[in-house]
Amino acid sequence: MLLSLLLPVLGTLASSVEVKRPRGVSLTNHHFYEESKPFTCLDGSLTIAFDWINDDYCDCPDGSDEPGTSACPNGRFHCTNAGYRPQYIPSSRVNDGVCDCCDATDEYNSGFVCENTCKEMGRKEREALAQMAEVAREGFKLKQALIEEASKGREDKQRTLAELQEGKKSLEEQVETLRSAKEAVEKPEKEAKEIHQKNWEEQKAAEKAAQEQARASEAFQELDDDGDGLVSVAELQTHTELDVDGDGTLSEMEAQTLLGNALQADASSFLDAVWTSIKERYKPEGLPDPAPLPEAPIEEAADPQPELPPEQPAPEEDYDEEEEEEGDDDESNEEEPKVTPPQQPSDKAAEEDGEEKMPPYDEATQALIDAAQKAREQFEEAEKSLKEMEDSMRNLEKEISFDFGPQGEFSYLYNQCYELTTNEYVYRLCPFNRVSQKPKHGGAETSLGTWGAWAGPEENKFSAMRYEHGTACWQGPNRSTTVKLTCGKDTVVTSTTEPSRCEYLMELVTPAACQEPRDPGAADHDEL
Amino acid sequence: MAAAPERVGMAAVIWTALFLAAAFAVDRSNFKTCEQSSFCKRQRSLKPGSSPYRALLESLQLNQDSMKLQLVNEVNKVPLLLELYGLQGNMTRIKINELSPLRPRYEVPDVLVRDPASTRLAVTGRDENSVELSLGDSGHKLILTGKPFRMDLLQGRELVLSVNPRGLLHFEHLRQRKDSFSDKVSSSVGSLWDKIKSLFHREPPKEPAPEGGAAGEETEATVPGDQESSEKSTKSEEGSDAPEQAEEELGSWEETFKTHTDSKPNGPTSVGLDFSLPGFEHVYGIPEHADNLRLRTTDGGDPYRLYNLDVFQYELYNPMALYGSVPVLLAHNIQRTVGIFWLNAAETWVDISSNTAGKTLFGKMLDYMQGGGETPQTDVRWMSESGIVDVFLLLGPAPRDVFRQYTTLTGTQALPPFFAIAYHQSRWNYNDEEDVDTVDAGFDMHDIPYDVIWLDIEHTDGKRYFTWDPSKFPHPRSMLERLAAKRRKMVSIVDPHIKVDSGYQIHNEIRSRGFYVKTKDGSDYEGWCWPGSAGYPDFTSPEMRTWWASMFSYDQYEGSTENLYTWNDMNEPSVFNGPEVTMYKDAVHQGGWEHRDLHNLYGFYVQMATAQGQVQRSGGLERPFVLTRAFFAGSQRYGAVWTGDNAAEWDHMKISIPMCLSLALVGISFCGADVGGFFKSPDAELLVRWYQLGAYQPFYRAHAHLDTVRREPWLFGEENKALIRAAIRQRYALLPYWYTTFYHSYRSGQPVMRPLWVEYPNDITTFSIDDQFLIGNALLAHPVTEQGAQGVQLYLPGKGEVWYDVHSHQKHHAPQTLYLPVTMSSIPVYQRGGTIVPRKERVRRSSDCMHHDPYTLYVALSPQGTAEGDLFIDDGHTYNFESKAQYLHRHFSFASNTLTSSSADSKGIFESPAWIERVVILGAGKPAAVFLKQPGLAETRLDFQHEAETSVLTLRKPSVNIGADWSISLR
């Protein structure tokens, strides 16, 4: 079991000095292990003979007596890894048949042959670092531009906001002015319209009374069959439609009752009393039953058909396609009303109801109305622009208040969306807004969360974003997404995974995540 | 796994619809009660009374190794054939079949490992109504009573067990279907007769003679005047008998459950028989049930059911059937342990009742032996839907004898490859190769050992087993090679339902070879499972199994490598749209057998064929590892089982102990439960406790449902990570002991994980304990299973023995009930004084990395200052230990202040570079000097360290090879 206690460690360069130290001890620690002197465990708990160091038996509770073997459960082994990076590995990985140190020093007695890959790894790492540095450099440059752009944008926005705030005052004043102006002209308008209305109604009433009287006297004359200037019970009885009890005939008694409990009525009492009680049922003689009205609507319904654009030949395939499109297109509903025939019969119906149209306003009234309408329109327009202005101010305020990173470098992502298409889904990330997933081959979109907060670790808060409260999972939580930001020249979503059910992980490459590149030479420290 | 909504798309629609409502509890209405299972109802409606069966003593034939005798049902005159075998090793086999059945009845093949060697039977006594036989050289006698038929098994003058003492033998003979009502009545006249008889036993009604019997004869059966039993028979059925009978008749030739109709072309075929166990109050076994170790009586409830089923979100503490079945029941009292092995693979129910009225009259021989009537007694009744009565009585008398007896019949636990007893990391699902790499790297980053990472169904190309999802797992071989470079393994799932898809080679071959299970109409049976429509290969066919096994060869299973092993899930079989989520009972297997006859064997065969495939792919060299969910008697020969789809709940964690103990008692030692719980997400405390418990159970695998949040050990904060790591490391340090214990199980059938009573059969206190257990004979574990526990109450058994806390080394005298305060890091484990446990204390990233590492021996001294232990070593993965005797079995003993290492088995020869780095002696005084002596070498002094406070003596670096003979003396 006793292997060479001391391992001559050669540096990579011919000029470096050979340092003798027990296996698995780093250069910085080698002075604790003085040859041939008793060794005190690094935690001070025990002092042992020097030849108990690396004798493959764990004596020190802290494992410090076995830096080069696997004997201590809590020990660690130092690999020099010349050409690459030195490293500590747990003692349990010494001689375990797995190559851990690139210089192969951890497998010195396991029968497994490891190759020294440090040079290769060092080269690869340097290349990778160089490449990363290159990316970082370029990315960082872009980031500077983004920062500048952001600060400009922010200034612009603030300026715009200030301007808007400024403009808002005058606009508000304007709205108020227009409101009073509107109210001022609306008052005479209202009065004039009321007068006009009243006049018209009076006129209508008078006309109606006259008409009624005319119908009554007409009826009287009709009823007065013998022309004696009186309507008798018998004369009334010829009009069976006036039957009161519904037996189909008008009895004498009924007729008398209708005549005001009299046997006859003269013209004036007929007009005053009898007519009102019979006019609803009375049918003038010699006229057929009023024809039913539906003819007109039928004509109208038939009307629009010839109006369909005749130049559309509509071959069937085309038609199908259109239907499919319509099926997919949410907006198609809005177009539908266009297809339905215009409904114009309201005027006619009004006429047929016997209602007359109000006569046009007289010139003076019309002038008042026109003036008021104009004032209203002006007011509404002003009010609308005020609302719009307020909206854009709100948006601006929101955007300005967003935390776009220490220097606003992430602000360019605002109002943008980035997509990644996988085998099954199209993922869509709209930074600071939402993340969603849509099946590639049709199907509803699923929300994977809306903007929550920056979610990186404390020291690097802006390295991750969190989107929460997405669509709920079956028997599970609401979907959520963490977006990891990494440095790159372009802005692109590079991957989406679902490491845990309904918890998504997305990677977004962006120059905004680039850090100022360090001097690349500084990375290659500790090389012997 | 079970429920998979959303992800499985089309396939899940029906499934989801079925189970969405279930939330987090089993939907009991999906599964039959005894009342809803027509044969169980028929059998159970038969009440104890005098048996209608008569043994025709004059027909007795005694052959070289068996006795044959006819039984006749006095009511329907159907003759049965009773065969009795005395078997070597203190066992008796009883077979009852129809003398001349219309068609052959199913006899379970492939479960017995060999034809059990028989002993010579001899008639040693005889009178007009009984025969006495001696059963070989064990001193057991059997008294067979002619009328009513019963058998009583005695040792010396002591009655051990009775067969048919309550007259519940009920054998539904095969018959032609007749549609007339009278035929229907006659077909089940036996049970009707019994009821009537027990009520009006002096007035036997005349019955029409049924077919198959002495046709045309009218029965003039006189009722046996057994006052004792008729007194016990119940009498409250008068009014309900007739309509009930009609109903039962409906269930005899066709049975409908929910929307499923079972056509029952063979009509009623069930068999039932009862046993009495006088003097026994504790019975165990008949897994799988989510219940306590000690079986309960089933009076007033359902019997324990054995019918392999995929039970979605199973409930605890009830007798419902689960994924596997082992029809073996053990009874134990302070004098004796016996077993009843009911070899029947059809749906089976077991009633257990207990009474103190053990007065049974069975012939003049016994009259004077039964003293008072207060002997505790357990009665057991078995009821199976088809097949024959084939029972092995395992007569003990010690627990270890029963284990040996049972495993002589069905085989012992296969010795697992070493890695398989280490820690397994699973999840439904590790999504892709990158995910696998990341998790693998995570274990190294967090310095947590693990041996195997698992891939669930999502790794396949559309649930086509033996394939890989081309976008998630495009390069399985290199992924496996990366794992191999860390000396780790992978397990991929291969389920027995095969996607019906003409573009799928496996399906095409099975179809074209005619290997699918058929419907009753002869077409390929198709059910609904993960892939959607799926066929079920007929694993009962040897040709099918051979073909299946060949699919595991490296050139067939593309992307597979030596370090890829297999998981057989859903092999009950699970059929989402089938009755009780399984296959129609009238489906047809090779040889024309109905699925009904062999349902409980299906999963056994799946694992058998898969294990065979793994052996074959290595040319017979490498040991397989196959995990199965469904199992039967004998499944221990093919690998590991786990307790199925449990939940992240404290009670589910707790029940894993009795569930695995029950399996261990019936041969299946390699058992575990999903660490963390399958459904739902555990909090950190539960997860940590479960890792601690799992570290001391034979199969140690964390697993989780697709819908749960990630739970790799490092995701719960540094503190919990450290606790989990510590638990897993304890497991790894003890692997040499586990492996040695598994070797014993393989060699002698002794369970790895043991109930306390197995080691302390005379201590009644231990008989019902199932919150603590033993591993081998040396370690006692009482993992914390209570939320927020401040301490555990544990029992240290063994009069005059001592136990040492393995963590503090504190010594405790036994027997005692001990309250041990606990913290989150506590895993109460004790080493028995008088034992020696080998450990490897250099825990590495995988068990394979530790293969050549040195050992530490923990010598725990008995009060007499002695200790013994052993260690088994081989290459850990091949059959060379068996075929070439390439192994080391070392024996360590400590006596007279000297620890000696010698060979426990000189046949084994194996070179190992492993050595002994340390010996820790618990309970030792401080010696003046310690000397190591090796043959042919001079004595050398060893350095040592003694802690007076705990009496722990640590011997530094004996540096002897593990295979060497040596002794160390303390002076």
Side-chain angles (χ1 to χ4, degrees), chain A residues 189-242:
Chain A
E189 179 207 25
K190 195 182 166 203
E191 286 166 1
K193 277 169 96 174
E194 276 169 5
I195 290 165
H196 182 80
Q197 179 87 18
K198 201 178 153 204
N199 288 345
W200 180 57
E201 272 163 15
E202 280 169 8
Q203 191 190 330
K204 263 201 311 193
E207 275 169 16
K208 210 177 172 185
Q211 263 177 7
E212 197 61 25
Q213 195 152 9
R215 272 183 76 198
S217 31
E218 213 175 292
F220 182 82
Q221 268 151 35
E222 255 177 37
L223 282 168
D224 184 12
D225 291 334
D226 55 4
D228 65 350
L230 294 169
V231 172
S232 68
V233 167
E235 282 164 350
L236 200 58
Q237 275 180 299
T238 62
H239 279 255
T240 54
E241 76 269 20
L242 299 177

Side-chain angles (χ1 to χ4, degrees), chain B residues 435-447:
Chain B
D435 199 1
V436 168
D437 289 343
T438 308
V439 171
D440 177 71
F443 277 91
D444 285 343
M445 183 191 297
H446 300 284
D447 202 12

Side-chain angles (χ1 to χ4, degrees), chain B residues 240-260:
Chain B
S240 62
D241 264 7
E244 209 175 279
Q245 202 60 42
E247 244 176 56
E248 283 164 17
E249 276 314 297
L250 286 177
S252 292
W253 290 93
E254 186 175 282
E255 181 173 348
T256 298
F257 178 66
K258 302 196 101 177
T259 57
H260 303 285

Side-chain angles (χ1 to χ4, degrees), chain A residues 365-381:
Chain A
T365 309
Q366 190 58 47
L368 286 172
I369 291 171
D370 291 348
Q373 186 58 29
K374 202 176 163 203
R376 265 193 297 274
E377 280 165 11
Q378 282 173 341
F379 164 73
E380 276 161 15
E381 202 177 319

